[in-house]
Amino acid sequence: MKSRTAGPVAAVTGIGVVAPNGIGAEAFWKATQAGDSVLDRVTRQGCEHLPVRVAGEVRGFDPGSLVEDRFLVQTDRFSHYALAAADLALEHARLGRADYADDPYAVGVVTAAGSGGGEFGQRELQRLWGQGPRYVGPYQSIAWFYAASTGQVSIRRGFKGPCGVVCSDEAGGLDAFAHAGRAIRQGSRAMLVGATEAPLAPYSVVCQVGYEGLSTGDDPERAYRPFTAKACGFVPAEGGAMFTVEDAAEAARRGAPVRALLAGHCATFTPPGRTADSEGLAHAVLGALREAGCAPEEVDVVFADALGTPEADAAEAAALRTALGAHASRVPVTAPKTGIGRAYCAAGTLDTATAVLALEHGVVPPTPNVFDVCHDLDVVTGSARVAPLRTALVLSRGRMGSNAALVLRAGPESRAQ
């Protein structure tokens, strides 16, 4: 296949992670590579009586030690995660204020969000109903909003370049990379890109109760088991990841590590409620491969969307067969999210973080809690698999019909090179 892209090449130079299994890229990768499952019973106050019993909660996160007070009071938990992850991503990329002080308009921010600031909004609405409008804080008008994280990260860091927020269902986490890559090709020096979610407040959980595929199982080891005969849906999670994306040549000139290249992306749409439809996802994969100039047999690992219902899992397997042909049954497929939960828009960014780290280390992490695979896929289970990895394919589907595929190529510092 021949790539249709031209000009600067967008590269991931830094990863910041706030996840149920670790904070920071190193801790996250260590737990993910080991196949640790941290799913557990929901402990958030006010959620005890709700039908969602198991989730991936971020534990040990102290926002006060990572974010200034003035930003904490203005933002919801999902933005706390984004602010902290953005700092980690910049540190990982060794990109400091001195690197962009001469032109703050050359750096922008793009995030994706699905649920927004539900915890903050619920608290303020309770004050409105219980105490009256005088007790509602002024930040209620912005903290719940999908764009809050983009705005606060850009303000806090002084980034004045192209900024935006992607609202395209759960696939938005991958779609945000397409926006960042376009900004790099149009001349931006760097972009902070990613998604974080905090959907475990009572109001947010109530909104999820009607979601197709939401698991209500109460056994953490059995509540989320995609690609098996006992698949019963997905387990929700919070957290997410932010990335520093730069022009690869510029990053190399300043001595930054080029961890992976954003080679190709494609987004499609399937009518809502059609999780058994494989056509949209297959077209997304084919489009991403075409943009990357990547033949199907070049894909070394697939990070599956793994919705966790029999119909959706069968459709994903069918989409891979359509897009990759015979290679679909040979390529390693993994879904590390079964150990931490599915964090909606942030699920794709956490998978992308894992994919970049897998390319760097030459290791495919396992799919926790999954053993008896019932599809013709080489799902990596039990323990991690060492393999030469040059190209990774990350998949994401939304409940309302969005599909996205992202192709990553190994950077020059990966073991594959």
Side-chain angles (χ1 to χ4, degrees):
M1 293 185 180
K2 186 176 181 180
S3 173
R4 295 186 298 179
T5 60
V9 177
V12 174
T13 57
I15 305 170
V17 178
V18 177
N21 64 345
I23 297 171
E26 184 176 351
F28 171 73
W29 174 245
K30 182 179 179 180
T32 302
Q33 181 181 347
D36 293 345
S37 178
V38 296
L39 299 181
D40 208 341
R41 298 297 294 265
V42 177
T43 65
R44 290 289 161 76
Q45 185 176 4
C47 294
E48 302 89 346
H49 64 291
L50 299 174
V52 177
R53 306 297 187 188
V54 175
E57 296 183 0
V58 173
R59 304 178 190 275
F61 177 76
D62 178 13
S65 67
L66 299 170
V67 182
E68 302 91 321
D69 288 345
R70 70 187 182 95
F71 287 99
L72 288 180
V73 299
Q74 298 176 21
T75 52
D76 178 81
R77 186 192 299 264
F78 92 106
S79 292
H80 299 169
Y81 293 152
L83 290 162
D87 284 350
L88 292 170
L90 291 168
E91 181 181 352
H92 204 218
R94 301 198 292 269
L95 184 69
R97 291 185 182 274
D99 294 301
Y100 56 84
D102 61 319
D103 186 7
Y105 292 93
V107 184
V109 183
V110 60
T111 66
S115 57
E119 186 175 67
F120 194 107
Q122 177 180 338
R123 183 178 65 243
E124 296 302 309
L125 287 173
Q126 286 175 326
R127 289 175 177 170
L128 173 64
W129 297 331
Q131 298 171 277
R134 292 180 179 272
Y135 292 87
V136 178
Y139 301 113
Q140 165 67 354
S141 61
I142 58 172
W144 66 272
F145 193 47
Y146 300 97
S149 294
T150 289
Q152 297 289 8
V153 169
S154 62
I155 291 169
R156 182 168 177 252
R157 280 287 180 168
F159 297 144
K160 300 181 179 181
C163 291
V165 60
V166 181
C167 297
S168 58
D169 207 353
E170 293 173 49
L174 295 188
D175 293 343
F177 286 98
H179 287 260
R182 185 179 300 112
I184 295 297
R185 291 191 293 274
Q186 292 176 346
S188 293
R189 186 182 304 175
M191 294 289 292
L192 269 176
V193 55
T196 56
E197 299 271 24
L200 299 181
Y203 170 75
S204 299
V205 173
V206 168
C207 291
Q208 297 168 61
V209 168
Y211 287 179
E212 179 184 3
L214 184 69
S215 175
T216 56
D218 58 6
D219 183 345
E221 294 184 0
R222 293 179 172 83
Y224 187 18
R225 304 187 66 210
F227 302 115
T228 71
K230 296 184 179 180
C232 59
F234 69 91
V235 164
E238 60 184 358
M242 295 290 290
F243 301 78
T244 305
V245 172
E246 304 179 64
D247 170 29
E250 289 293 329
R253 274 194 284 272
R254 73 174 185 86
V258 176
R259 304 181 187 280
L261 305 177
L262 301 181
H265 167 273
C266 185
T268 62
F269 184 75
T270 302
R274 299 270 294 276
T275 56
D277 189 324
S278 64
E279 185 178 2
L281 183 61
H283 275 280
V285 174
L286 289 168
L289 292 176
R290 184 166 53 249
E291 185 174 81
C294 177
E297 59 270 17
E298 292 181 68
V299 176
D300 297 308
V301 59
V302 175
F303 287 81
D305 175 69
L307 186 63
T309 66
E311 298 81 10
D313 294 344
E316 185 166 15
L320 287 172
R321 288 193 296 272
T322 298
L324 303 183
H327 188 57
S329 62
R330 298 190 297 264
V331 63
V333 175
T334 186
K337 61 169 68 76
T338 61
I340 61 174
R342 183 183 175 93
Y344 297 106
C345 276
T349 62
L350 287 168
D351 279 345
T352 301
T354 309
V356 173
L357 293 164
L359 290 171
E360 278 195 308
H361 293 88
V363 175
V364 180
T367 307
N369 301 320
V370 171
F371 303 101
D372 50 336
V373 176
C374 65
H375 296 273
D376 186 21
L377 297 173
D378 182 16
V379 179
V380 179
T381 64
S383 59
R385 185 184 301 179
V386 176
L389 303 178
R390 296 167 296 276
T391 304
L393 173 65
V394 185
L395 306 180
S396 182
R397 292 175 296 175
R399 293 170 297 97
M400 299 304 294
S402 294
N403 310 288
L406 179 69
V407 176
L408 299 165
R409 296 282 199 178
E413 298 178 23
S414 74
R415 293 187 182 181
Q417 306 301 310

